[in-house]
Amino acid sequence: MAFTLPKLPYNIEDGIEPAISGKTMSFHFGKHHNGYVTKLNNGIKGTKFENSSLEEIIKGTFENEEFKGVFNNSSQHFNHSFYWNSMFPNGKEPSQKVKEVLANSFGSFEDFLKQFKQKAATVFGSGWCWLVADGKNLEIMQASNAMNPIPLNKKPLLVIDVWEHAYYLDYQNNRGGSIDKFFQVINWEFVEQEMKKAGLF
């Protein structure tokens, strides 16, 4: 099957205010993400993964040197798609249900935000910071390069991209500032939907 860029519930040209400018979105979505999709489609052509789902490809190529490029591109397609869904312009407050789930694992909603920021800010080099469910337990997972929770059989709930290209045009080297703004555009309805899928309530 041929993979394509996801349809987003907002206009790329407008950015995801107040966190991400339209200029960053046009490069990040239109160039970087699009590049991963193109390389993924080329990489699986004529292989046993040609008709596999995205998650099957990620699991099947994990730690497989022969398909390292396919793993990187399939994972980056998944990661970016999840990242775009994790945000919505001028985000709203999470529901009480979501706050309670986070408080059960991190002490309070505010403590979750502090811990998530600390983990996201200290990912070394390029990578991602995920909120994941491992059964009924929540954890914050740092991931280098293209890594994500799928090959570890953990359920992703929220992610921030901390590759430099995700924030450099808007924030230069101020990763912490970009994380603070990310908190203002989290799509908590999407997080709640993923929590339900993971059986957290």
Side-chain angles (χ1 to χ4, degrees):
M1 71 172 72
F3 292 98
T4 58
L5 285 170
K7 288 184 179 172
L8 304 183
Y10 41 78
N11 292 322
I12 297 160
E13 298 80 13
D14 297 334
I16 307 172
E17 293 295 348
I20 301 173
S21 69
K23 188 174 183 182
T24 288
M25 278 298 294
S26 70
F27 278 104
H28 198 174
F29 182 80
K31 305 284 186 194
H32 288 280
H33 190 173
N34 192 43
Y36 295 125
V37 173
T38 300
K39 287 174 194 167
L40 171 60
N41 286 327
N42 290 336
I44 60 174
K45 207 175 288 179
T47 73
K48 62 184 177 180
F49 297 109
E50 192 163 19
N51 296 307
S52 300
S53 70
L54 191 58
E55 292 198 16
E56 285 168 345
I57 295 170
I58 292 168
K59 287 181 177 180
T61 57
F62 178 56
E63 295 186 334
N64 183 331
E65 202 58 35
E66 181 187 355
F67 289 102
K68 189 175 182 181
V70 173
F71 172 76
N72 286 334
N73 289 305
S74 60
S75 291
Q76 287 291 69
H77 178 33
F78 178 90
N79 297 351
H80 281 87
S81 298
F82 207 92
Y83 175 56
W84 307 132
N85 281 312
S86 290
M87 299 179 287
F88 198 81
N90 302 302
K92 298 173 184 173
E93 279 284 301
S95 69
Q96 199 55 39
K97 240 192 292 193
V98 169
K99 284 187 174 181
E100 283 169 12
V101 170
L102 293 170
N104 287 340
S105 289
F106 301 103
S108 69
F109 174 63
E110 290 69 28
D111 285 337
F112 159 70
L113 294 179
K114 282 179 196 164
Q115 291 174 49
F116 192 87
K117 178 176 180 179
Q118 190 275 331
K119 290 274 192 180
T122 54
V123 171
F124 183 74
S126 301
W128 305 81
C129 187
W130 297 85
L131 172 66
V132 303
D134 186 5
K136 295 285 185 183
N137 299 315
L138 296 193
E139 60 186 68
I140 298 167
M141 172 184 152
Q142 292 179 318
S144 295
N145 300 318
M147 187 58 184
N148 64 46
I150 300 302
L152 307 177
N153 292 313
K154 296 180 181 184
K155 303 286 186 189
L157 306 172
L158 173 72
V159 71
I160 183 172
D161 186 348
V162 290
W163 281 65
E164 220 172 48
H165 66 242
Y167 60 86
Y168 203 82
L169 279 176
D170 295 330
Y171 301 92
Q172 285 74 55
N173 63 339
N174 183 12
R175 184 189 282 185
S178 73
I179 297 165
D180 288 336
K181 289 289 187 183
F182 172 76
F183 289 151
Q184 295 180 37
V185 295
I186 290 176
N187 183 352
W188 288 110
E189 287 181 8
F190 175 72
V191 176
E192 184 166 340
Q193 169 192 307
E194 296 307 301
M195 284 181 169
K196 279 180 188 165
K197 280 189 202 170
L200 295 173
F201 42 70

